[in-house]
Structure formats: structure tokens, C-alpha cells
Amino acid sequence: MVLEGPFVDPGLVSDCVHCGFCLPTCPTYVLWGEEMDSPRGRIQLMRQRLEGEPLTPSAAGHFDACLGCMACVTACPSGVRYDTLIEQTRVAVEREHPRPLPERALRGLVFGLFPHPRRLALVKRPLGLYQRLGSPLLSRLPGRLAALAALAPPVRRSVPLPALVPALGPRRAVVGMLTGCVQREFFPSVNAATARVLAAEGCDVVIPPSQGCCGALSVHSGRHAEAADFARGIVDTFASAGIDALVVNAAGCGSSLKSLGELLADDPAYAPRAAALAARVTDFSELLADLGPAAPRHPLPLTVAYHDACHLAHAQGVRSQPRTLLRGIPGLDLREIPDAEICCGSAGVYNILNPAPAADLAALKARNVLFTGADWLVTANPGCLMQITAGLRTTGATIRTAHTAQVLDASIRGVRLNPDPA
């Protein structure tokens, strides 16, 4: 739940003892070495605001610079809930901080487009034309729009999934599947692979065609009312769908949906159903690890570097399950990426709103990926796939990318793994 009164929860602010364990895991501190761009520095700014200091443009800039990756939450020995603090702070920043017109316009474009799959579908045709015309047009776009265009994966035709994909063999569970927004329109092969794997592992997969955005981008950006509206739509779609679990294959969406009960806690018409649905939200890899393998795996002679998406590893604590699934594939060599806790710079729409530091983090991640000597990069988030691919592109290296679901799908079906179009 986000506070409507105080700037942030004073009790949570006082939990920070300024020990510094968060510093080496914070992407912006790693880049700049500035105290106010570390978690404990931002908490100090929150404390000053609670003591009556105004929210200055400088302080708002330090809050905006945070990626919300939650690596500090994992590292903190005192259990500081920085994730809650930064979300509460961003609600206040959106409410109190007047942004310049160009920034308001960009944010309006981003949040008027990305949480709306139908609108994303409409821009695919002009985007595809832009991609075919090539890079000369890139230099004519404003900086942040150029960064957005450069990140976009090659446009592919989306084929809608059926409303029900029946289990192959004995049914072990009935699950709902979130198709997402960017995932649905730009990575349809990931959703198709997810549905096939779930069915092969004995799940009836319920995929309501009317489902909309889960609200993750909005809730992580301080747009509380907007996020709550999206969340109500998800509750209406899935709460009475007769499912044992709601499966999510995008890390940021899963993190947000697991907090549905908190987001809608003050809405008596939705709070009980939201909390009940949140308890059934599970990441794709979590569900498969809990079920255990049923479908046989065929060998895939691949060398794979697995990237922990921040909102999967830090926000949800899901680390071992995807690795266990990948190691269960015969012939697959799984390698760890150095400094894995450092965010790749995607962070929802951070790489659009803050392209310069995001590009620096992508370059750092790309170097660490290449250090592994792997032929494939595998992760569980569409934003990470796009961001790291962009970072790899600047090195001139060619490394193929895929979602965890695509790797499992290829092994179960006994087919060659095709790279994701990032």
C-alpha cells in the first residue's frame, strides 16, 4: 500500500543504519560513486523530506536516477525495505515535482503507449518500415526517441494464442497465463513457447484474450492510480477463472502481480480478491520447479550464460529454479555472469527515460556476458533481452539471445533453438 499522507513510512526510513553493504550492488553508485545516488543516500534524502525539507529538483533527480532494481534489498543485512520506500517516494515525486515540458511529453508518450497492447500493435507497422529503411534515419530523431528506436527488436507478426491450450497427457494443473504488453506484441515467440512448455508439463493453460496490462510499469514509476486501474482489470480477468496459479514469464510483471493485495488494499471492492489472486501468482520457472519434469528433455549442445532479471532475482527471490531447469537439459553448459547482481540498465522504462546511464550499464553487462565465453544469453524478461542485446551490439560481438521458456521448449520438442528477435 502506498501512503497518501507522509512522504514515506518513517519506520521504514529509520531501519537504515547506513552500513554501506548496499553500495557495491547499486548500479548508479557503481557508475558515479556519489553518495546521494546510493540507496542509503536516497534514504537520507527521504529522511530530510520527512523532517520538513522541500522536495527540490535535485532530490527528485536522485530519486529518478534509481533503477529500482532491488539489489540493495538483497544485500541489506538490516532488512531495509528500500523497494517499498522508493515506490512510496515516487508517488510523492509524481505528485509534487513539476517536470519540464519535454520530460512530461516523453513520459506521456511512454505511459500512453507501453501499457496498451493494442496501441503497441498499431505502431509495429511504421516501426517495421523504419527498421527496413535502416540507420540513416536514426540520427534525425531526438536523443531519447533515438534510444527507444534503437532498443526495439525486429518487428514480427503476432499470432494470437488460443483461449485454452490443453494439457498434453494427464492434467496436473490448470493455470492462467499473463501475455503481457511488450511481450505479447514484440516477443510473441516467448509466449507461444511458454504455453507449449506448460501444456507439455501437464497444464491446461487458460489465456483470456481480453486481458490487459498488469500495471507493473506504472506502479514502479509512482503512477499509483493508473497502476491500480490496470490491476483491477487483471483481477476481473483472472480471479474467477478457475485457475490453480497465474503464470508470468516477465520478471517485472510477476513482481508487481505478487503485490496485488498491497496495491489494492484500500479498495474494499477488490482487496480480498486481489490478495487471493496475488497468492496464486508464480513465475514460469517457479511453477515448473514445483511440478517437477514430466516431458522428456532432448539434448541441446549449447553454452549458455544465464542473466538474473532484477525483478525475478531481487524482488521475487527466484534464482535457483531457472538454473535448475536449464541444468536439467542434456548437453547444455550453464555459465555464470560476473557481477550478476548489477542491473543491465533496462529497469522497465528506465533505459528510455535515462538513456545515458542505461547505455553505460548495458555496456558493462555486455562485457561480463562476453567474459563467460557463452554462445547464448538466456534470461526471463523482455526488457533485459532488448537492453543486453543493445549493449552487445556496441561491442560488435554476435551472441544469440533467448528466454528460458524458449530453451525448454526446444529441448522438449527436440528442435533447434532459434534466437529471439531482439
Side-chain angles (χ1 to χ4, degrees):
M1 181 177 63
V2 179
L3 298 182
E4 295 295 339
F7 186 67
V8 292
D9 186 333
L12 296 183
V13 168
S14 65
D15 287 339
C16 178
V17 297
H18 294 261
C19 66
F21 277 87
C22 60
L23 300 182
T25 70
C26 174
T28 49
Y29 187 82
V30 167
L31 287 180
W32 304 323
E34 294 288 342
E35 178 68 15
M36 290 300 102
D37 287 309
S38 73
R40 72 178 185 183
R42 293 184 179 107
I43 289 175
Q44 179 60 28
L45 291 175
M46 296 173 196
R47 179 178 285 111
Q48 291 173 3
R49 178 66 179 80
L50 285 171
E51 293 170 352
E53 293 290 329
L55 177 63
T56 65
S58 175
H62 291 302
F63 294 136
D64 283 345
C66 173
L67 289 94
C69 68
M70 309 310 157
C72 57
V73 176
T74 299
C76 181
S78 301
V80 176
R81 298 303 309 177
Y82 181 83
D83 50 346
T84 301
L85 284 170
I86 193 63
E87 285 192 4
Q88 291 176 350
T89 298
R90 283 184 164 151
V91 172
V93 169
E94 290 303 299
R95 186 173 60 226
E96 300 177 19
H97 174 56
R99 299 186 184 277
L101 179 60
E103 190 172 343
R104 293 202 308 272
L106 177 63
R107 287 174 177 263
L109 172 65
V110 166
F111 292 102
L113 178 63
F114 283 88
H116 303 277
R118 289 188 178 90
R119 298 177 192 175
L120 285 173
L122 291 176
V123 305
K124 286 171 66 175
R125 180 170 294 180
L127 178 59
L129 176 62
Y130 163 84
Q131 291 174 342
R132 288 193 296 274
L133 290 175
S135 58
L137 287 177
L138 193 63
S139 61
R140 301 183 184 180
L141 293 175
R144 288 178 175 178
L145 289 181
L148 173 58
L151 284 168
V155 172
R156 297 289 188 270
R157 180 172 175 266
S158 298
V159 178
L161 293 170
L164 174 65
V165 179
L168 301 178
R171 187 175 69 188
R172 305 165 75 194
V174 179
V175 302
M177 177 178 150
L178 186 82
T179 52
C181 301
V182 171
Q183 189 92 291
R184 181 192 313 185
E185 294 302 328
F186 287 95
F187 295 89
S189 57
V190 173
N191 279 344
T194 300
R196 284 194 297 264
V197 171
L198 291 171
E201 295 289 29
C203 298
D204 278 351
V205 188
V206 178
I207 312 173
S210 61
Q211 62 178 288
C213 178
C214 68
L217 291 180
S218 302
V219 76
H220 296 151
S221 300
R223 302 167 71 94
H224 180 255
E226 181 179 86
D229 284 342
F230 286 131
R232 292 184 189 97
I234 290 295
V235 173
D236 288 338
T237 300
F238 285 104
S240 302
I243 57 175
D244 303 315
L246 174 54
V247 177
V248 186
N249 61 8
C253 299
S255 170
S256 180
L257 286 172
K258 287 182 177 180
S259 300
L260 271 177
E262 298 171 29
L263 181 61
L264 298 177
D266 292 333
D267 186 338
Y270 279 86
R273 289 188 297 152
L277 181 61
R280 286 179 283 166
V281 174
T282 180
D283 181 69
F284 169 79
S285 64
E286 281 185 293
L287 179 80
L288 294 185
D290 288 343
L291 287 176
R297 270 59 166 167
H298 298 88
L300 284 181
L302 307 175
T303 304
V304 167
Y306 177 74
H307 164 70
D308 283 298
C310 293
H311 276 88
L312 190 60
H314 300 306
Q316 299 183 59
V318 176
R319 297 180 181 83
S320 63
Q321 296 92 329
R323 289 173 168 82
T324 298
L325 294 173
L326 292 170
R327 290 192 178 106
I329 297 174
L332 188 145
D333 177 13
L334 184 63
R335 299 183 181 180
E336 295 294 334
I337 300 171
D339 295 328
E341 73 280 358
I342 300 296
C343 181
C344 67
S346 174
V349 293
Y350 185 90
N351 51 0
I352 301 170
L353 301 177
N354 303 275
D360 291 340
L361 290 169
L364 176 62
K365 183 65 69 174
R367 289 195 297 271
N368 288 334
V369 169
L370 293 175
F371 180 82
T372 68
D375 300 317
W376 286 82
L377 171 74
V378 174
T379 189
N381 200 55
C384 298
L385 284 172
M386 291 188 286
Q387 176 74 358
I388 301 174
T389 298
L392 290 166
R393 196 180 298 129
T394 64
T395 70
T398 54
I399 180 169
R400 291 160 288 185
T401 61
H403 189 283
T404 315
Q406 293 172 299
V407 184
L408 288 169
D409 179 50
S411 176
I412 289 171
R413 292 197 292 150
V415 300
R416 180 180 178 182
L417 178 63
N418 291 316
D420 204 54

